[in-house]
């Protein structure tokens, strides 16, 4: 069993270079070690000509952006000229797949090049992301991010924007999961996610908690007991009744306290190890992040740099600075997209001004599909658009995982090229590592593949024959792209139950869950061929598809191989690692002052910096 797994592993461990050396060198030069070593050096240098360029990296991730929100992916009403230009000047991926349909696991996979189940960054219950800053889970130390490797290779690295991969382990400022532990020299942004609760007037996501309380059952229970009591069937002591009422009161008060204090305790901005604003003022956050990014580029344009610009938008609570408010036909959501696009333009202009454009690989993506259930407290549409793809964030229907993927590296990558092969956000890890002149770690499975051969057209087919789509810790679906055909098979082992039944969203719970009460299991699995049915409308059957059983059998074998390769690790999302631990609470002032402070040097930015005159 383990033996048959080995070839899979070694393939993943990127041994494709090593065996060439191991075989070729001893045959040619058996006698001495010196020429042998020299030839290794020579071989490495010779085969590594693209490596000599060692590009800079600007990796941009927009939160919850739908693939259908961008002009270059077919949107005609939102204006995204800068991102469209990036696509025109580079490569556009049309089957770019997020490793998970939720922020925390998707970002863990992006940074490490591995399925998040391998790092323990997946929930087992309903919750699949961190929602409380004083929780103890986070990206484990032994995981290797592309930032860590780039830093070792002499790059200056920065994360600006959202992290969402934990902060502390044992006390309130041990910062064991802080971006600096994972290779980022500079950090300016939020360790959590921007939630509705972070902005006054946007309501709370936790009303959804209330939606889970079985009010009717409780009401019927209380009424029955009261009736039995009045009739004298079941005498209830006064004291017991009072106790129960007090318990309900305490629970209600705690919940109210939680919601009221949430912004102060969880919506804070950090610069490196310090909290600089708590709670943060949202309105000009995209401006502040942009200014910080531009300054980072200015400081580091003379040396290799890697910037991960992780936009806080367009996740709710939505915001846009005054210049962008009212600029779109799609409310605040569209305005926020416009501002993100402006920010991308600022980055592109800055690279030009600093004359590093040609030597910088730019990447733009989203961490998952648009979140369809986002309707604001006032009933406004605060969600994005996933185009022709079904459903959205928190599901493994295509709308949840098929994300924009644009890469530009002028002079090295073709311009205006479209690639429809399956690629993953996990591919950025090996791509960056290789271009930075390093090798991927040999002691673990890396699930991503170097994108460069595909982007440059040196190979036609993606190395992702299979992609595994997880819903939290549960294997939800598998995609199979056989090398000898253009079919894109996708088999679901379960699918989320939609509420209301006729829509493709989980409006009742605000997001879809993966636990048994919320899904329908399929045996045989629901099978689609995305090459014929990209919107996943009609499951195939043995009657409609002659290859039905053969395809499912291939997938079954692949699943067995894959699950056999997943080594059990400590989960970072057990209830104990998700809950509030008061002793971990980050707080920039005394608790009595309610954890408030305003000392961010970028705070005063109110209007966009002047555009650079184009020469
Ligand atoms: C463009 O995006 C907006 C906002 O997400 C969406 O409402 C609209 O339907 C999209 N338009 C097209 C033509 O795709």
């Amino acid at each position: 069993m383990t033996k048959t797994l080995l070839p899979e592993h070694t393939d993943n461990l990127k041994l494709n270079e090593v065996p060439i050396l191991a075989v070729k060198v001893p045959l040619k030069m058996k006698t001495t070690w010196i020429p042998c070593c020299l030839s290794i050096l020579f071989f490495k240098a010779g085969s590594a000509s693209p490596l000599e360029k060692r590009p800079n990296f600007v990796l941009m991730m927009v939160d919850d952006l739908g693939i259908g929100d961008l002009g270059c992916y077919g949107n005609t009403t939102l204006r995204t000229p800068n991102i469209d230009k990036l696509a025109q000047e580079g490569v556009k991926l049309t089957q770019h797949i997020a490793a998970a349909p939720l922020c925390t696991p998707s970002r863990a996979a992006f940074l490490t090049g591995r399925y998040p189940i391998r790092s323990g960054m997946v929930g087992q219950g309903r919750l699949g992301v961190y929602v409380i800053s004083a929780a103890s889970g986070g990206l484990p130390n032994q995981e290797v991010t592309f930032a860590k490797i780039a830093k070792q290779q002499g790059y200056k690295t920065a994360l600006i924007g959202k992290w969402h991969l934990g902060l502390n382990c044992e006390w309130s400022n041990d910062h064991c999961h802080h971006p600096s532990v994972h290779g980022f020299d500079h950090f300016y942004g939020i360790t959590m996610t921007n939630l509705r609760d972070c902005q006054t007037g946007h309501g709370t996501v936790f009303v959804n908690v209330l939606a889970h309380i079985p009010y009717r059952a409780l009401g019927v229970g209380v009424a029955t007991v009261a009736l039995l009591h009045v009739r004298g069937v079941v005498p209830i002591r006064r004291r017991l009744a009072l106790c129960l009422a007090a318990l309900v009161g305490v629970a209600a008060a705690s919940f109210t306290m939680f919601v009221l204090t949430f912004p102060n305790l969880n919506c804070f901005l950090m610069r490196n190890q310090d909290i600089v604003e708590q709670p943060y003022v949202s309105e000009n956050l995209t401006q502040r992040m942009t200014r910080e990014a531009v300054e980072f580029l200015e400081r580091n344009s003379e040396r290799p740099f890697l910037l991960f610009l992780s936009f806080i938008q367009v996740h709710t609570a939505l915001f846009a600075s005054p210049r962008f408010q009212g600029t779109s036909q799609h409310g605040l959501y569209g305005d926020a997209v416009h501002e993100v696009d402006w920010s991308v333009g600022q980055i592109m202009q800055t690279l030009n001004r600093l004359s590093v454009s040609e030597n910088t690989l730019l990447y733009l993506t989203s961490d998952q599909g648009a979140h369809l259930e986002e309707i604001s407290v006032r009933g406004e549409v605060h969600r994005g658009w996933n185009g022709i793809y079904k459903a959205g964030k928190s599901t493994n229907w295509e709308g949840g995982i098929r994300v924009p993927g644009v890469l530009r590296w002028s002079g090295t990558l073709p311009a205006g090229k479209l690639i429809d092969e399956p690629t993953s956000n996990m591919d950025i890890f090996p791509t960056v590592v290789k271009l930075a002149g390093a090798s991927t770690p040999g002691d673990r499975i890396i699930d991503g593949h170097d994108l460069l051969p595909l982007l440059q057209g040196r190979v036609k087919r993606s190395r992702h024959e299979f992609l595994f789509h997880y819903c939290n810790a549960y294997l939800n679906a598998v995609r199979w792209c056989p090398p000898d055909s253009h079919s894109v098979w996708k088999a679901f082992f379960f699918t989320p139950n939609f509420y209301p039944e006729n829509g493709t969203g989980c409006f009742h719970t605000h997001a879809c869950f993966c636990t048994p009460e919320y899904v329908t299991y399929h045996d045989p699995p629901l099978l689609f061929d995305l090459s014929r049915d990209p919107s996943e409308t009609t499951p195939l059957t043995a009657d409609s598809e002659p290859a039905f059983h053969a395809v499912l059998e291939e997938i079954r074998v692949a699943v067995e191989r894959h699950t056999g390769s997943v080594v059990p690790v400590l989960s970072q999302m057990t209830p104990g690692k998700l809950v509030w631990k008061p002793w971990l609470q980050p707080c920039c002032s005394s608790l009595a002052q309610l954890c408030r402070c305003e000392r961010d040097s970028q705070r005063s930015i109110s209007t966009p910096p002047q555009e650079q005159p184009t020469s």
Side-chain angles (χ1 to χ4, degrees), residues 104-105 108-109 112 114-122 138-140 142-143 566-567 569-573:
T104 299
T112 61
R114 288 147 58 78
Y115 287 112
I117 190 134
R118 300 199 196 277
S119 52
M121 296 295 280
V122 286
L139 189 63
Q142 61 273 22
E143 288 300 321
V566 176
V567 180
V569 291
L570 207 65
S571 171
Q572 295 296 324
M573 290 206 163

Side-chain angles (χ1 to χ4, degrees), residues 318-525:
L318 294 176
F319 51 80
S321 57
R323 175 173 153 181
F324 294 94
Q325 286 170 15
T327 58
S328 83
Q329 301 171 24
H330 299 290
L332 195 47
Y333 182 86
D335 300 347
V337 173
H338 282 177
E339 190 164 16
V340 165
D341 182 74
W342 165 86
S343 178
V344 172
Q346 292 297 300
I347 300 300
M348 291 162 71
Q349 281 184 26
T350 305
L351 296 173
N352 277 341
R353 171 161 59 82
L354 300 170
S355 311
V356 290
S357 242
E358 290 276 293
N359 196 30
T360 301
L361 173 64
L362 278 102
Y363 168 66
L364 184 128
T365 192
S366 170
D367 51 356
Q368 64 259 323
H371 189 175
L372 300 189
E373 291 84 355
E374 287 291 5
I375 303 295
S376 85
V377 281
R378 293 189 210 92
E380 296 151 6
V381 174
H382 276 189
R383 59 165 172 236
W385 176 247
N386 294 320
I388 61 167
Y389 301 111
K390 182 167 176 172
K393 176 176 176 176
S394 78
T395 80
N396 279 306
W397 294 109
E398 289 295 280
I401 51 177
R402 198 182 280 233
V403 290
V406 173
L407 293 112
R408 186 193 79 176
W409 181 10
S410 305
T412 306
L413 300 186
K417 184 167 170 162
L418 198 136
I419 295 179
D420 195 32
E421 285 289 296
T423 56
S424 164
N425 66 348
M426 297 184 290
D427 296 341
I428 298 305
F429 176 90
T431 307
V432 166
V433 166
K434 183 149 192 221
L435 289 171
S439 315
T440 49
D443 61 347
R444 63 197 66 207
I445 295 177
I446 301 295
D447 298 295
H449 296 299
D450 180 10
L451 276 176
L452 223 62
L454 192 64
L455 298 179
Q456 291 189 313
R458 283 185 276 136
V459 299
K460 289 273 165 283
R461 301 305 306 262
S462 158
R463 286 182 62 200
H464 286 293
E465 187 175 341
F466 293 96
L467 277 170
F468 301 92
H469 306 303
Y470 280 86
C471 187
N472 291 355
Y474 307 102
L475 185 58
N476 186 172
V478 177
R479 172 187 309 254
W480 179 37
C481 301
D484 55 356
S485 98
H486 285 277
S487 292
V488 180
W489 305 104
K490 189 173 170 194
F492 282 87
F493 306 114
F494 61 87
T495 49
N497 300 333
F498 289 137
Y499 305 93
E501 303 293 341
N502 54 359
T504 54
C506 297
F507 291 91
H508 176 66
T509 47
H510 192 63
C512 300
F513 299 132
C514 337
T515 41
E517 324 84 273
Y518 297 95
V519 303
T520 303
Y521 292 91
H522 303 287
D523 187 15

Side-chain angles (χ1 to χ4, degrees), residues 68-69 74-78 330 333 383-385:
D69 285 327
N75 199 301
T76 47
T77 48
L78 277 176
H330 299 290
Y333 182 86
R383 59 165 172 236
W385 176 247

